[in-house]
Amino acid sequence: MTVNDDSFTNWKNREEIAESMIPIIGKLHRERDVTVLLHSRSLVNKSVVSILKTHRFARQIAGEELSVTETLPFLQALTSLDLGPSQIDIGMLAATYKGDDQGLSVEDFTARAVAGATGANKIEHGEGRDVVLYGFGRIGRLVARLLIEKSGSGNGLRLRAIVVRGGGDRDIVKRASLLRRDSIHGQFQGTITVDEANSAIIANGNTVKVIYADDPTEVDYTGYGIKDAILIDNTGKWRDREGLSKHLRPGIDKVVLTAPGKGDVPNIVHGVNHDMAKPDEQILSCASCTTNAIVPPLKAMDDEYGVLRGHVETVHSFTNDQNLLDNYHKSERRGRSAPLNMVITETGAASAVAKALPDLRARITGSSIRVPVPDVSIAILNLQLAREVTREEVLDYLRDVSLTSPMRRQIDFISAPDAVSSDFIGSRHASIVDAGALKAEGDNAILYLWYDNEFGYSCQVIRVVQHVSGVEYPTYPAPAA
């Protein structure tokens, strides 16, 4: 047998193992509300090849490929446990088991590692929480996809309605089509049908009412059977407490804004300050995509090295706020053609850092350049540190943060030398550290942080909504503090 034959046989064997994992992952998700992760990446509803690629990607982070032969025993061990709703990272289980010196079997080690999700400790299934989307643009449709994707167990967030301004002929059909097909993010994973008579979109069995209204005060949500709902405003039309309070109509309990909040509206970056959201807070903001990209790594660097001052320069994809061709715009430069120009503009991300990291004493400044790509941006974070560092030290630290810290769902790490922006379309992390581009010398460090300013940000929005709704399930093994 040749080397090529050996490689192919090995691939086929791993394919077979990955195939055997799919029904186990699906059953845990549907019946027990358990999401199986691999280094913070969900394996729910993934194909055989996707599961294998996710295992291989671990090589980019940990330095060696993770094999399905290593993780399968931990997945099988989960099936014999009395699990409650949770997220369980089998990649972390496999990694920590390697370093364990207690001589435990895989079954016993797994039972100990996830003990908080079993037996008397487990969270009981709740009734779920109603969600309403106010607006159905780029972020609204991606949030809708995520909500529908996560509805498989039937015990979490439930997308009940979408509110849009009254449209023209076949409005609901056109909106369903935009949900079904996306030029950047691809096809919707599932089936979508339209019930025009009842003004509803049915996506993967979820009936979502489409409500037409020109103003929040026009809607009584209880008339649609909606109660205690979280409303996600992705229009950006109202950003202060007074304006967002208009959404607090019958049937709505909380309002979450997908833009930086103004005044006393709390700006929440999940993974950093989501615990500051008070249980009785009815109005809060998820800040901006750029704020979500820079705050987690900024906190990580300040925690370890101390940050004295910093500047962030964002190279940002163009957005719907800009013009396709030169035309009037209220902003000076944004009226120039977005697909044809690099456009210098402002960013509020630097000033928003103070809201998310009130204990950070460093002064952070920022600016932005919009460039002719439709999605994925990069933030260049230039920091003066409180002590001298080496490049290798910073890389090792950030790699470890991405794998084991409480911010591992926010911070990703990639060492691929040929990575470019389109490689990060669909990333669920708020920020991806580019190891090859990172610079560190003396007391200065420059981090290059990729982020999918549409999908990655939408994932952060969902995490905030899960947290404030009480359906954010714990992750095991617990990340290091």
Side-chain angles (χ1 to χ4, degrees), residues 138-388:
R138 297 296 301 153
I139 299 302
R141 291 195 296 274
L142 291 177
V143 168
R145 284 187 174 202
L146 287 164
L147 288 168
I148 294 163
E149 170 194 298
K150 295 177 182 297
S151 67
S153 64
N155 294 293
L157 302 174
R158 301 176 299 201
L159 178 58
R160 297 293 308 279
I162 296 162
V163 184
V164 292
R165 289 193 298 270
D169 184 47
R170 292 173 61 79
D171 179 271
I172 191 172
V173 174
K174 293 173 183 176
R175 294 186 187 277
S177 182
L178 285 170
L179 179 62
R180 185 181 292 115
R181 288 179 287 271
D182 190 284
S183 300
I184 296 170
H185 300 283
Q187 298 275 345
F188 175 81
Q189 297 300 304
T191 62
I192 292 176
T193 57
V194 176
D195 182 352
E196 286 191 81
N198 293 299
S199 190
I201 295 172
I202 298 93
N204 290 358
N206 297 270
T207 300
V208 183
K209 188 74 175 178
V210 179
I211 302 169
Y212 293 96
D214 293 326
D215 189 84
T217 58
E218 297 176 5
V219 189
D220 180 343
Y221 294 95
T222 58
Y224 300 94
I226 296 169
K227 62 178 182 178
D228 298 326
I230 295 177
L231 182 144
I232 304 174
D233 182 331
N234 56 87
T235 67
K237 184 176 180 180
W238 304 276
R239 292 170 59 185
D240 59 10
R241 186 172 296 275
E242 181 182 0
L244 293 168
S245 293
K246 294 180 179 181
H247 290 303
L248 294 173
R249 303 284 298 154
I252 302 299
D253 179 55
K254 295 181 185 293
V255 179
V256 173
L257 171 66
T258 64
K262 293 183 177 180
D264 66 344
V265 174
N267 281 256
I268 305 299
V269 175
H270 192 276
V272 175
N273 70 335
H274 61 276
D275 288 337
M276 70 169 279
K278 300 175 182 177
D280 61 349
E281 178 62 70
Q282 288 191 289
I283 296 174
L284 49 86
S285 156
C286 293
S288 70
C289 56
T290 302
T291 304
N292 277 264
I294 65 173
V295 164
L298 181 58
K299 180 182 182 339
M301 293 296 287
D302 187 54
D303 286 347
E304 183 70 11
Y305 306 114
V307 174
L308 301 182
R309 64 175 300 167
H311 176 82
V312 60
E313 187 79 33
T314 69
V315 182
H316 199 291
S317 58
F318 63 77
T319 68
N320 220 30
D321 175 64
Q322 295 171 257
N323 293 333
L324 284 174
L325 296 172
D326 290 1
N327 208 344
Y328 174 81
H329 195 289
K330 63 181 179 180
S331 296
E332 297 292 343
R333 303 187 202 233
R334 292 195 189 189
R336 303 299 299 276
S337 172
L340 299 178
N341 294 289
M342 293 190 293
V343 179
I344 298 174
T345 186
E346 70 283 346
T347 176
S351 59
V353 167
K355 279 193 169 184
L357 290 173
D359 294 333
L360 182 72
R361 297 181 181 179
R363 181 172 181 263
I364 307 296
T365 58
S367 51
S368 178
I369 304 172
R370 297 287 180 94
V371 294
V373 294
D375 187 30
V376 179
S377 304
I378 189 168
I380 304 167
L381 190 58
N382 194 331
L383 303 175
Q384 181 186 357
L385 306 176
R387 67 176 176 87
E388 294 192 351

Side-chain angles (χ1 to χ4, degrees), residues 121-139:
N121 297 321
K122 69 180 181 182
I123 298 171
E124 293 302 323
H125 292 285
E127 294 183 0
R129 193 69 175 269
D130 290 352
V131 178
V132 173
L133 292 178
Y134 198 96
F136 205 49
R138 297 296 301 153
I139 299 302

Side-chain angles (χ1 to χ4, degrees), residues 402-424:
S402 75
L403 284 171
T404 64
S405 83
M407 292 189 291
R408 64 190 186 188
R409 296 170 70 195
Q410 282 70 45
I411 300 175
D412 203 1
F413 187 95
I414 187 166
S415 58
D418 56 349
V420 294
S421 61
S422 61
D423 296 330
F424 304 102

Side-chain angles (χ1 to χ4, degrees), residues 423-434:
D423 296 330
F424 304 102
I425 293 174
S427 169
R428 294 178 182 240
H429 288 78
S431 184
I432 305 106
V433 176
D434 191 314

Side-chain angles (χ1 to χ4, degrees), residues 437-459:
L438 185 143
K439 295 174 174 57
E441 183 177 356
D443 65 352
N444 178 245
I446 305 174
L447 277 55
Y448 288 74
L449 308 166
W450 297 101
Y451 57 108
D452 184 329
N453 49 277
E454 293 187 336
F455 195 73
Y457 176 67
S458 297
C459 290

